[in-house]
């Protein structure tokens, strides 16, 4: 089916977009527009929209102030799109298309940010909520995650409206207010609301992976990764009870020793390593760039499976792609130097690979611990691994094309497993086509800035993200898609010769 994507690729190339282009503007006017957009992101950062599991810490009023500001900053959008406030603090905008028969697309982003820890405030080079623009960067909490996408999407729509663009396909803009704490009250409620109305979506575009530069050893060219699958997650508590008493005469086994032994067994018996179809696709596409050895190995995957998995397991980043992983995060036992604790507890944070679930995870942990004195219990919510998004669709091709147009330096566009989870998880009932991709350029260093001190985004990358969403909207909702849909229907009649 890969061939089919190339067919579409040529369709895009042979049908240039004919409506108003940015070239209609003078360079000076376009520079002014860019400067204004940067100011909008800068201002959006000044609202301290932190979400928090603790209701007291949730800064609800900041969200309402941000809503007001967005109304001022994007007048055309607010005049022509329908705005609904969902569950008090999330936003859903509807841009009606001219053809009601086309299933809508939904662009998802979130307005909430993680808090700035009190003890790190001094470490910031620029104040985290000042929205400072300096040295080519927009600084502050939310500049990378995820306010730049909220503003880039809205700016793209604003500019398209000003250029007289009218979509054929309906577009939803869905901005949640609690992604950082699970998204149940924001994206979760938006999704419920759309399902109640019987909406079926063509595709969802959310945050996730990005254009990666120098992230993989041996590859210098930037590669765009699109998250077409996401891992699930859950937390298990391991608890051991004991008798307590004075630590001068301990029994052979104490809660701490029993718990340590259990954690040790888990460390030594990880989940089975395996390649899900998405990762196999990633590897196949990247094999050429990785060099002859890998190319050969991937071509004869059956033969070299063990070796390939072993190699992927070695690196932290690729290791996450091939198995369910568990990490002890919280440990709790005694609090007095000479008193044996009556209880020892550990939390295992588990990221579940597609194909496994709650039951298979608990089974592996229970069998590996193999000690009845250790009580195993689930804590918090369970997020199942996502369904796998197909890549042989016109929406995937449109996304790939939008990436290539915006980031011409990209050598490859590759589907990949996203090891985390985002608001996208709430939309799985509405479409099979869920894409997790943020239009930004990430290096190993820059990836560290998310949720961290000195979070900042290059002005240049922000500009590109606006251009990206304009292209993506036109590719998926403009005049062009009709031709693509026609091509798709025709090509479905063609035999699949690629044996995939
Ligand atoms: Zn985010």
């Amino acid at each position: 089916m890969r061939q089919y994507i190339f067919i579409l690729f040529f369709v895009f190339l042979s049908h240039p977009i004919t409506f108003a282009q940015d070239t209609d503007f003078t360079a000076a006017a376009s520079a002014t527009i860019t400067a204004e957009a940067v100011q909008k992101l800068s201002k959006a950062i000044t609202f301290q929209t932190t979400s928090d599991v603790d209701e007291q810490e949730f800064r609800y009023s900041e969200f309402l102030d941000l809503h007001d500001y967005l109304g001022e900053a994007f007048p055309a959008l607010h005049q022509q799109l329908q705005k609904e406030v969902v569950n008090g603090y999330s936003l859903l905008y509807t841009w009606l298309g001219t053809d009601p028969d086309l299933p809508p697309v939904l662009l998802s982003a979130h307005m909430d940010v993680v808090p700035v820890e009190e003890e790190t405030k001094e470490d910031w080079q620029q104040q985290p909520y000042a929205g400072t623009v300096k040295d080519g960067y927009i600084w502050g909490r939310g500049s990378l995650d995820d306010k730049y996408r909220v503003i880039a999407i809205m700016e793209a729509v604003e500019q398209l409206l000003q250029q007289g663009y009218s979509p054929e396909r309906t577009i939803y803009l869905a901005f949640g207010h609690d992604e950082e704490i699970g998204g149940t009250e924001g994206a979760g409620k938006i999704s419920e609301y759309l399902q109640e109305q019987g909406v079926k979506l063509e595709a969802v575009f959310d945050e996730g992976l990005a254009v990666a530069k120098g992230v993989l050893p041996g590859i210098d060219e930037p590669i765009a990764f699109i998250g077409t699958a996401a891992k699930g997650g859950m937390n298990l508590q391991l608890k051991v009870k004991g008798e307590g008493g004075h630590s001068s005469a301990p029994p052979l086994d104490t809660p701490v020793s029993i718990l340590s032994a259990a954690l040790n067994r888990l460390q030594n018996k990880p989940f089975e390593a395996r390649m899900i179809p998405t990762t196999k696709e990633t590897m196949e596409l990247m094999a050429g760039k990785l060099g002859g050895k890998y190319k050969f190995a991937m071509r004869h995957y059956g033969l070299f499976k063990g070796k390939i998995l072993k190699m992927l397991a070695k690196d932290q980043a690729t290791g996450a792609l091939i198995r369910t992983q568990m990490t002890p995060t919280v440990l709790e036992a005694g609090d007095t130097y000479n008193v044996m604790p009556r209880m020892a507890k550990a939390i295992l944070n588990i990221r579940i690979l597609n194909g496994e679930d709650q039951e298979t995870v608990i089974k592996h942990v229970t069998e590996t611990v193999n000690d009845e004195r250790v009580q195993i219990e689930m804590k918090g919510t369970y997020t199942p691994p996502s369904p796998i998004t197909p890549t042989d669709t016109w929406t995937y091709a449109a996304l790939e094309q939008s990436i290539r147009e915006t980031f011409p330096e990209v050598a490859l566009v590759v589907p990949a497993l996203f090891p985390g989870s985002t608001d996208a998880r709430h939309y799985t009932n509405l479409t099979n086509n869920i894409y997790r991709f943020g239009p930004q350029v990430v290096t190993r260093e820059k990836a560290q800035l998310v949720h961290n001190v000195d979070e900042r985004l290059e002005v240049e990358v922000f500009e590109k993200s606006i251009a990206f969403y304009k292209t993506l909207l036109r590719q998926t909702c403009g005049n062009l898609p009709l031709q693509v849909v026609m091509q798709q229907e025709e090509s479905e009649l063609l035999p699949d010769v690629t044996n995939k």
Side-chain angles (χ1 to χ4, degrees), residues 110 112 144-146 179-180 207 422 451:
H110 62 92
D112 62 317
L144 287 172
D145 183 15
D146 185 35
E179 191 275 343
E180 298 293 356
E207 63 180 333
T422 64
H451 292 194

Side-chain angles (χ1 to χ4, degrees), residues 163-273:
Q163 291 169 18
Y165 174 73
S166 156
E168 290 177 15
R169 184 184 300 279
T170 293
I171 298 161
Y172 291 114
L173 313 181
F175 303 140
H177 71 275
D178 65 341
E179 191 275 343
E180 298 293 356
I181 54 166
T184 329
E185 297 301 313
K189 294 287 188 246
I190 293 174
S191 175
E192 274 173 30
Y193 176 68
L194 292 173
Q195 288 177 61
E196 278 163 20
Q197 294 176 61
V199 170
K200 281 282 167 205
L201 298 172
E202 183 66 45
V204 168
F205 299 95
D206 195 21
E207 63 180 333
L209 299 171
V211 175
K213 224 161 115 181
V215 171
L216 291 152
I219 304 180
D220 296 330
E221 297 150 296
I223 295 179
F225 291 99
I226 300 172
T228 51
K231 278 177 132 177
M234 69 191 284
N235 294 300
L236 284 181
Q237 178 187 263
L238 272 49
K239 187 164 89 178
V240 186
K241 285 182 183 158
E243 296 302 316
H246 199 282
S247 56
S248 58
L252 278 178
D253 274 332
T254 69
V256 171
S257 70
I258 295 166
L259 183 66
S260 314
L263 291 175
N264 202 29
R265 281 195 289 277
L266 288 166
Q267 172 80 18
N268 291 329
K269 192 168 181 253
F271 283 81
E272 183 208 350

Side-chain angles (χ1 to χ4, degrees), residues 13-47:
L13 290 180
S14 55
H15 292 86
I17 301 153
T18 47
F19 44 84
Q21 295 278 304
D22 280 350
T23 43
D24 294 352
F25 295 86
T26 62
S30 121
T32 315
I33 289 171
T34 303
E36 280 173 8
V38 169
Q39 277 315 306
K40 290 175 193 177
L41 175 56
S42 154
K43 177 80 183 168
I45 290 169
T46 64
F47 300 94

Side-chain angles (χ1 to χ4, degrees), residues 234 236 271 350 352 357-365:
M234 69 191 284
L236 284 181
F271 283 81
I350 302 171
I352 311 166
D357 60 26
Q358 213 170 351
E359 274 86 53
T360 61
V361 167
I362 293 176
K363 188 167 177 273
H364 175 91
V365 172

Side-chain angles (χ1 to χ4, degrees), residues 39-282:
Q39 277 315 306
K40 290 175 193 177
L41 175 56
S42 154
K43 177 80 183 168
I45 290 169
T46 64
F47 300 94
Q48 300 190 27
T49 50
T50 49
S51 54
D52 204 298
V53 272
D54 179 358
E55 287 272 308
Q56 300 294 317
E57 299 291 320
F58 210 120
R59 318 250 329 216
Y60 290 111
S61 64
E62 296 279 327
F63 284 87
L64 300 179
D65 292 344
L66 174 61
H67 295 183
D68 289 346
Y69 172 66
L70 295 175
E72 283 166 35
F74 301 101
L77 185 154
H78 281 82
Q79 203 171 51
Q80 296 185 53
L81 272 62
Q82 185 196 332
K83 171 187 161 184
E84 287 163 282
V85 180
V86 177
N87 201 15
Y89 307 97
S90 283
L91 293 173
L92 177 66
Y93 294 94
T94 309
W95 193 358
L96 274 183
T98 51
D99 187 347
D101 291 335
L102 297 174
V105 300
L106 183 145
L107 269 51
S108 161
H110 62 92
M111 297 180 283
D112 62 317
V113 295
V114 293
V116 174
E117 293 140 319
E118 200 55 47
E119 59 273 24
T120 65
K121 271 186 182 150
E122 300 293 300
D123 302 336
W124 285 71
Q125 290 179 55
Q126 304 297 331
Q127 288 297 307
Y129 294 111
T132 309
V133 182
K134 203 182 163 199
D135 303 333
Y137 289 95
I138 305 153
W139 298 72
R141 180 60 86 228
S143 56
L144 287 172
D145 183 15
D146 185 35
K147 279 182 178 162
Y148 88 98
R149 288 182 60 257
V150 173
I151 302 299
I153 290 169
M154 293 182 94
E155 182 63 25
V157 169
E158 186 80 6
Q159 290 185 18
L160 286 171
L161 284 166
Q162 283 164 359
Q163 291 169 18
Y165 174 73
S166 156
E168 290 177 15
R169 184 184 300 279
T170 293
I171 298 161
Y172 291 114
L173 313 181
F175 303 140
H177 71 275
D178 65 341
E179 191 275 343
E180 298 293 356
I181 54 166
T184 329
E185 297 301 313
K189 294 287 188 246
I190 293 174
S191 175
E192 274 173 30
Y193 176 68
L194 292 173
Q195 288 177 61
E196 278 163 20
Q197 294 176 61
V199 170
K200 281 282 167 205
L201 298 172
E202 183 66 45
V204 168
F205 299 95
D206 195 21
E207 63 180 333
L209 299 171
V211 175
K213 224 161 115 181
V215 171
L216 291 152
I219 304 180
D220 296 330
E221 297 150 296
I223 295 179
F225 291 99
I226 300 172
T228 51
K231 278 177 132 177
M234 69 191 284
N235 294 300
L236 284 181
Q237 178 187 263
L238 272 49
K239 187 164 89 178
V240 186
K241 285 182 183 158
E243 296 302 316
H246 199 282
S247 56
S248 58
L252 278 178
D253 274 332
T254 69
V256 171
S257 70
I258 295 166
L259 183 66
S260 314
L263 291 175
N264 202 29
R265 281 195 289 277
L266 288 166
Q267 172 80 18
N268 291 329
K269 192 168 181 253
F271 283 81
E272 183 208 350
R274 62 195 164 83
M275 235 189 243
I276 65 165
T278 304
T279 306
K280 199 153 174 252
E281 214 176 336
T282 312

Side-chain angles (χ1 to χ4, degrees), residues 13 71 113 140 222 229 243 259 318 327 452 484 488:
L13 290 180
V113 295
E243 296 302 316
L259 183 66
T318 49
T327 320
N452 210 339
V484 176
Q488 183 192 15

